[in-house]
Amino acid sequence: MSMRYSRDELERWADRYLEAVVADDPGRLPWADRFEYVENNQTIPPGEGAWATIDGIGVYHHYYADLQRGRVGHIGTARENGVPCLYNFFLEIVDDRITKVETLVIRDAVGARRLDTQGTPHDVWLETEPEEDRVSREELIGFANKYFSSLEFNDGLGDYSFFHKDCDRYEHGKRTTNVTEEQSYGHSGDTSFTRLSCEEQWKTGFMGFVTGIRERNFVVVDEERQAVLAIAMFDHDGTVRSIRLTNGRIVYPAPYFDVGRTTHIMEGFKVKYRKLYRIEATMYEVPYGATSPLLAAERRRAA
């Protein structure tokens, strides 16, 4: 019978894991007899990869706790050979043993410094939602899935009412919605897109260059805080060279998307007032068409 863990206990597991990584000592941690460890989409032994290069813990730490499944997720910062980076992971704990780890080491020093300057997650992420205002575990996953499905081949013609009117999205700590200053979006030179709300952005069809969102894995569901942590692969197949927005304007994706690219995403979702209220995205590039070793292992076991 698996043990049940409190939020504080799960967060202590995450802290303990970070301390072991900085010490480059996986022996500090209790591993299950059979466990899965994946770092930047590769199956490697604990102690290799970033274990040898992460030498400090950063300031920003956002924890997601799944009390039902014994999982804890972390979007946060660390130092790699003295350089700030994003160090994200989730752990699965069964009977006081680590059974699964997936880690994303995102080498974006600017984004890491931005999050460290922010210091802590925005207060809304840490709020425990009243029971009468909560949606079910399945509905929480449904919100994250609606986000992905409406972003894939986004044409602006769907039902995007699942967004709250005050929803905001952040990428590596940078606000990308409802901004008042002139700010271009991503690899594009467009400065009007970031002034819009989440729902307004989706209604433009601007994101139509996202040609697939695969390997969706909803790794942590935090029912008390009404939050979901998901990992997925975003494909850009290089064939979308122009997009007709719903207002009739033609826009051209940035040259960056002239070739096939896949982005490995760890993204957090907060539901409030039974609507999608906050999104926290982090990402890095992997080979086009990359698949998830963890999901592959789950499929083998299910076969």
Side-chain angles (χ1 to χ4, degrees):
M1 181 70 176
S2 296
M3 298 175 63
R4 298 297 294 268
Y5 297 95
S6 69
R7 180 179 303 279
D8 287 346
E9 288 170 330
L10 287 170
E11 291 186 6
R12 283 197 292 272
W13 275 100
D15 290 339
R16 186 178 175 187
Y17 178 79
L18 281 167
E19 291 164 1
V21 170
V22 171
D24 189 13
D25 185 4
R28 290 188 177 193
L29 299 170
W31 301 90
D33 292 338
R34 296 180 63 182
F35 65 87
E36 294 164 300
Y37 179 84
V38 174
E39 180 184 299
N40 280 16
N41 213 45
Q42 298 297 309
T43 300
I44 61 174
E48 296 188 8
W51 286 75
T53 53
I54 296 292
D55 54 13
I57 298 172
V59 175
Y60 183 84
H61 303 285
H62 183 181
Y63 302 100
Y64 297 74
D66 192 326
L67 280 61
Q68 183 172 320
R69 297 176 74 186
R71 288 184 170 192
V72 58
H74 173 270
I75 290 180
T77 57
R79 301 290 181 272
E80 187 173 35
N81 291 324
V83 179
C85 67
L86 277 71
Y87 191 82
N88 303 341
F89 60 86
F90 88 89
L91 310 176
E92 181 181 80
I93 316 298
V94 177
D95 297 331
D96 282 345
R97 295 287 186 269
I98 297 174
T99 57
K100 287 182 184 179
V101 182
E102 181 158 9
T103 300
L104 278 68
V105 186
I106 302 173
R107 294 170 173 106
D108 173 11
V110 172
R113 291 190 185 100
R114 185 185 299 122
L115 285 169
D116 278 345
T117 298
Q118 179 181 315
T120 58
H122 297 139
D123 289 345
V124 68
W125 286 105
L126 308 180
E127 294 173 355
T128 297
E129 298 301 322
E131 288 193 27
E132 63 272 18
D133 292 338
R134 296 179 193 173
V135 300
S136 70
R137 183 182 189 88
E138 291 72 24
E139 288 173 300
L140 285 170
I141 293 172
F143 272 103
N145 216 14
K146 283 179 184 178
Y147 174 90
F148 287 148
S149 295
S150 61
L151 178 55
E152 184 180 52
F153 290 108
N154 171 237
D155 61 8
L157 303 178
D159 178 5
Y160 311 119
S161 60
F162 58 87
F163 285 115
H164 190 275
K165 63 182 179 62
D166 296 325
C167 180
D168 267 320
R169 189 177 70 254
Y170 291 79
E171 297 180 5
H172 294 203
K174 185 177 185 179
R175 189 177 182 180
T176 60
T177 49
N178 299 304
V179 300
T180 55
E181 71 277 9
E182 186 170 287
Q183 174 182 301
S184 61
Y185 179 70
H187 296 280
S188 77
D190 188 287
T191 58
S192 60
F193 187 71
T194 55
R195 296 177 183 271
L196 303 176
S197 69
C198 290
E199 184 173 1
E200 289 169 339
Q201 287 183 346
W202 259 230
K203 283 182 174 179
T204 67
F206 182 89
M207 302 294 281
F209 56 89
V210 180
T211 56
I213 300 180
R214 301 174 291 105
E215 306 288 275
R216 304 178 191 184
N217 196 4
F218 306 100
V219 294
V220 179
V221 180
D222 191 332
E223 296 178 73
E224 291 181 343
R225 291 181 176 174
Q226 294 282 277
V228 177
L229 187 64
I231 300 175
M233 298 293 183
F234 279 40
D235 287 336
H236 314 277
D237 68 10
T239 65
V240 180
R241 300 309 317 128
S242 65
I243 297 170
R244 180 181 293 276
L245 302 183
T246 50
N247 65 6
R249 186 163 68 95
I250 304 295
V251 297
Y252 302 91
Y256 177 85
F257 297 109
D258 281 350
V259 298
R261 298 180 182 275
T262 292
T263 304
H264 194 190
I265 297 272
M266 180 178 276
E267 197 155 15
F269 302 91
K270 169 76 176 186
V271 172
K272 193 174 181 66
Y273 310 119
R274 299 176 180 265
K275 298 276 189 177
L276 190 53
Y277 196 82
R278 283 290 183 278
I279 300 135
E280 177 181 37
T282 62
M283 66 203 80
Y284 73 102
E285 190 172 326
V286 293
Y288 182 73
T291 57
S292 163
L294 280 185
L295 287 180
E298 291 178 8
R299 292 178 189 124
R300 286 194 299 270
R301 287 194 296 271

